Amino acid sequence: MIHPNQPLALSAAKNASTVVVGSPLLAASPASSPAAACCSSQLQQRRAAGPGRRGAGRLAAPRCSTIEQAAGVSSAVTVDRTLTVTATVTVQPPIGVVYAARGIDDLTDLIGKTLLLELVSSELDPRTGKEKETVSAFAHRTMKQDTYEAEFAVPATFGPVGAVLVENEHHREMFVKEIRLVTGADDSSAVTFDCNSWVHSKFDNPDRRIFFTVKSYLPAQTPKGIEALRKKELETLRGDGTGERKFFDRVYDYDVYNDLGDPDFKIEHLRPVLGGDEHPYPRRCRTGRPHTEIDPRTEKRRGPVYVPRDEQFSDVKGMTFSATTLRSGLHAMLPALEPLLANQELRFPHFPAIDGLYSVGIPLPAQLAAAGAAAAAAGGAAASSSSTNIVGGVIPRLVRMIEDTTDHVLRFDVPEIDEEFARQVLAGVNPICIQLLTEFPIVSKLDPEVYGPPESALTKELLESQIVESVTVEEAMAQRRLFILDYHDVFLPYVHRVRERPETTLYGSRTVFFLTGAGTLSPLAIELARPQSPTRPQWRRAFVHGPDATASWLWKLAKAHVLSHDTGYHQLVSHWLRTHCCVEPYIIAANRQLSRMHPVHRLLHPHFRYTMEINALARESLINADGIIEESFWPGRYAMELSSVAYAATWRFDAEALPEDLVRRGLAVRQEDGELELTIKDYPYANDGLLVWNSIKQWASDYIDFYYKSDEEVACDEEVRAWWEEVRTKGHADKKDEPWWPAVDTRDGLIGVLTTIMWVTSGHHAAVNFGQYHYGGYFPNRPTVMRKNMPVEENEEEMKKFMEMPEHVLLDTMPSKMQAITIMATLDILSSHSPDEEYMGEHAEPAWLAEPRVKAAFERFAGRMKEIEGIVDERNNDPELRNRCGAGIVPYELLKPFSTPGVTGRGIPNSISI
C-alpha cells in the first residue's frame, strides 16, 4: 500500500501476455470482455487540446490487439484496463464578491463544467519515449459547500500522477485549496495535491494552471513525464519582461524603485530613482506601468500596485491591514481631528498633556465617534468604505468610550516603555546598531574640505571624567567596555538639507557608553555636530550628565536628539531596508528559478508569505512622496535616499547572519571551537536571538541533508545555482561584484544562506517590528522628529528662553500634536499581528509532512521553539539579568516565538507579513 501523501501510482503490467491490473491504490471493476473494455475506454476519449493545453488533451486509443504465438494454436489478449479515479476539489470563494458574469458562472456550475482537470503521468510512454496522454474530466459542484468533483477513467498503465492541470471555466478567479484523488471507493488510496493558489479564469488567460505532487524533487530527480512541465511553469513565472502586469498575473520580474513619487501630479513629488550607480538599491517587483511625462525614468502611480496573485493578502489579512488601512483610514481621521488640534497650541503645553493621550484622550467629532464605536462593537471590521467607517475599522483599539458617558475619544493604550536610554540599545526596538568602540581618538571619515575638521568633541579627558570606575579610556577599550552608537558620518551630509524643511532639524551624533561591573551600559557623553556651510563654520559640542540643572536639561535635549536619530535609522535601515527591501529579491528569484517541486522552494515558501504585498503597500502609502514616513519622520523627502546611502555603505549579505553581525559589531568574539562569546553577557537581543538562530540552522541542516546526499548534488543543482546567481546579479545588481557573497556549491554553504534568509524574515524582523508601539507609542521615548536646534547653538535670545522655561523648550522641540498622533496610530497598526499569522514552528507545509524524516525534523524544530518560549520567560524573571528584569523594567519578549493576534510585543512570524 502506498503512503497516503505519496503520488498517485498506477502500476504498469510486467507481462504483456496477462491482463493489466491496477495497483491496490486504484482498484477497478473487471470488464466483461476485451471488446467491452475497448468500448468503455473509447467513451472516455477527449477532444484535442486547445490553447495552453498539454499534449493532445485526450486519452490514447486503447490497445485491443492479439499476439500470435509461433505455433499458431492460441493467442493471448493484452488489454489496457481503465480505473475509476475521483477528484475532489476544495475551493475557498472570495468574501463578498459580486460580479456581472455571476449568473453565467452559476449556470456553468449547474451543467457540471466548472473546472476542467487533467491528470499528468510522471512516466514517459515506453512505446514512444514521449509524455503520456493526459486524462481529462470536468469537475462539477457537489452538495457539499465549496466542493467540486470529477471522475476519470484512467488507464491502469498510467503510472504515478505527477501533476494536475486546472482550467477555470468561470469568469471569476477561484482559490483552489486542494485536489484529492481517490481510486474507487477506497479512501486509503487518497492522494492530496496541495494547491492553495488562485486559479485565473480562462477568459483572462487560456493557459492552464499546473499543480505538482507534494513530493519534492531536485531537478536531476524530476520524473521524466513532468520534466517539461517543470520548465514550462518557471518560464510562465518569469514572463518576457514586457507589458503592464494585470491583477491575475503570476509573473515575477525586477525593476528599480522609480514609483515613489508622481511628478505629473505634483512636481514636488519627484524623487530620485533608487537602483543603479547613482543610488544603489535592491530591486523590487516590476509592474510595467507607463512612465510619467515630466520624468521618463519615473513610473506612473495609477491604480493598485501590481503584486503576483499568490503573493497577495488572504481575505482575513486584507481585512486587518491594507492600503485602505494606512492611506484612507489615517488620512480620513487626521484631517477630521485637525480642527480640534488647530484650536490648541501646536505643541503639547506640558508633559501631563502627553499623558492625557493615554488616560483622557482627544474628543472625536461625532461622525467619527459613531463609526469608531460601531466598528469596535463589530470587532473592528468596517463594512463601508466611507471615511467615517474606515476610521472605525482602522483603529478600533484606539477608540474608547469614556466610562459613564456617551462621548468618544481617540485614546491610545499605555505602551510598555521605560526611560532607560542605555538599556534600550540592548533590549529595545533597535538593538542592532550598538558597536564596540575600537578606534580612539574618534575621527570622521568624511571629507574635511566639505564638512569641516574631522576630530570629535568626545575627548579622552571628557570620557574619563564620566567613567565611574578608575580606568582610562585605553584600559576600558582593552577590556572591551566602551561602546558607541554612531550616527555621525551617515547623517552629517543631510543636516543642511533636512534643516530646510519647516520645523525640522538634524545633527550628526555620537553616543559613547561604558559597560559597568553590573553588566549594564552607562551613557558617558553625547556629541552633536553641524557641518560647515558657505556662510557658517562647523559646530559641534559634547554633552554629559551635569552637576547642575542647566547641564541636566541640556543632556535631556541632547538625548532626545539622539533618540530621534536612532528612530529614523531604525525605521529606514534596520527595519525597512534590511528586512522588507532586501528580502524582496530573494522572493522574486526563488519564484523565477526554483520549481514549486524544489525542496528549497518549499523550505523558503512560508518565509515569503505576504512580503511582496506589504512592500507594495509601503510604496503606496508609507515610503512614498508625502507619505506617512516623509510626513512624520525627520528625513522627510530624503528618507529613501538616505536608506540608499546606508545600503551602499553598510549592507552585505554575509553580515545579515546573526553571528556574523554580532562579530562585525564587536558584540561577540568567535572562539577557536567556533562558539561565540558575547562581549556584553546580558544582551537580550543577542541572547534570545542566538537561540532562535541555532534552532533555525538545525532545522535547515536536517532538511538539506535529507534531500542532498553530497556536496556534489548541491553543486550540480541547476535551479539553486540559477536562483542564487539571480539574487546577486539582478536582485542586488548594484553589489553583484562584491567579494563577500557566499557560495552555494556545498551543503554547508547552502545551509548558511538559507539560515540567514530564514532568520532575517523571522527573528530579525520580529525584533525590529513588533515592539514599535511598545517602545515608540509614548513618543517622547522615541521622537520621530526634532523641531528646534539645541539652544546653545542658537543666539542669546533662544538661550534665555531655555534658561527661563527649559520644559517648554523641550516640548517645542518634540513632535507636534498632529505628528505625534499620526505616528502613534501608525505604530499601533504596524505592531499588530494578524489573526492568520503563522509563527515559527507552528505550521508545517504539506510537502514536509509527506516525508517522515522531514516531518520528524520539523517536529524537533517546533519543540525547540516551544522550549525557547520557556527560556525567555525564565530569563525575564532572573534578577541577575538587569537588562531585562528589575523594578520598572519592561521584560524583553520580542523574540518569544508565539503570540495572540493584536499588539502584543512578542511573537516571531515566519515571514515579513506587516
Side-chain angles (χ1 to χ4, degrees), residues 41 146 153 269 278 291 340 381 394 402 449 520 556 715 729 731 765-766 857:
S41 180
D146 304 329
H269 284 184
E278 187 176 358
H291 288 193
L340 299 176
V394 167
I402 300 177
E449 295 294 324
T520 60
K556 290 178 181 178
T729 62
H765 181 258

Side-chain angles (χ1 to χ4, degrees), residues 84 121 142 164 168 292 389 426 431 490 544 567 643 725 789 914:
T84 301
S121 174
T142 68
V164 179
N168 178 10
T292 62
N389 281 345
L426 300 176
V490 67
V544 297
T567 299
S643 75
E725 177 74 6
N789 296 335
I914 194 167

Side-chain angles (χ1 to χ4, degrees), residues 45-266:
Q45 293 185 17
R46 297 281 298 138
R47 55 181 169 79
R53 293 175 184 167
R54 181 178 179 276
R58 60 178 183 270
L59 283 176
R63 290 187 293 132
C64 294
S65 59
T66 356
I67 302 174
E68 297 296 334
Q69 300 294 321
V73 176
S74 62
S75 66
V77 177
T78 301
V79 179
D80 278 355
R81 278 242 176 113
T82 58
L83 306 174
T84 301
V85 178
T86 301
T88 303
V89 184
T90 305
V91 305
Q92 178 179 301
I95 297 175
V97 172
V98 179
Y99 53 99
R102 179 63 184 265
I104 300 175
D105 288 349
D106 289 343
L107 181 60
T108 301
D109 287 344
L110 187 63
I111 63 176
K113 292 189 174 182
T114 304
L115 296 168
L116 178 61
L117 309 181
E118 287 187 53
L119 306 184
V120 182
S121 174
S122 293
E123 297 177 350
L124 296 178
D125 189 325
R127 297 169 294 177
T128 65
K130 297 180 180 180
E131 291 92 348
K132 292 182 178 180
E133 298 285 357
T134 59
V135 181
S136 304
F138 279 105
H140 59 276
R141 185 191 290 271
T142 68
M143 297 298 291
K144 186 177 179 182
Q145 188 176 5
D146 304 329
T147 302
Y148 296 82
E149 279 190 1
E151 189 173 286
F152 302 88
V154 182
T157 57
F158 194 71
V161 176
V164 179
L165 309 186
V166 180
E167 180 179 272
N168 178 10
E169 307 296 311
H170 274 184
H171 289 76
R172 181 81 184 188
E173 65 181 355
M174 183 180 294
F175 188 83
V176 177
K177 297 174 70 174
E178 66 177 30
I179 300 172
R180 187 170 181 263
L181 303 180
V182 176
T183 306
D186 183 7
D187 271 350
S188 66
S189 70
V191 178
T192 301
F193 283 70
D194 177 60
C195 303
N196 282 303
S197 178
W198 290 99
V199 177
H200 56 258
S201 165
K202 73 174 184 180
F203 301 102
D204 290 328
N205 182 348
D207 291 342
R208 297 182 184 180
R209 283 297 310 277
I210 304 170
F211 295 106
F212 293 109
T213 171
V214 293
K215 184 172 178 61
S216 298
Y217 293 101
L218 300 178
Q221 301 166 347
T222 309
K224 296 298 181 182
I226 54 175
E227 271 187 347
L229 279 182
R230 182 172 187 147
K231 293 177 180 178
K232 179 184 177 182
E233 174 75 346
L234 288 174
E235 290 171 359
T236 298
L237 293 169
R238 286 194 286 267
D240 60 6
T242 63
E244 184 172 355
R245 300 271 63 88
K246 299 179 177 62
F247 173 80
F248 55 81
D249 281 343
R250 298 169 55 246
V251 175
Y252 297 76
D253 205 353
Y254 302 94
D255 207 343
V256 293
Y257 278 73
N258 64 348
D259 64 341
L260 301 179
D262 186 356
D264 286 352
F265 171 71
K266 193 175 183 181

Side-chain angles (χ1 to χ4, degrees), residues 529-544:
R530 181 198 71 213
Q532 67 186 24
S533 72
T535 59
R536 304 176 74 183
Q538 181 194 76
W539 179 90
R540 63 174 65 245
R541 177 163 172 173
F543 300 87
V544 297

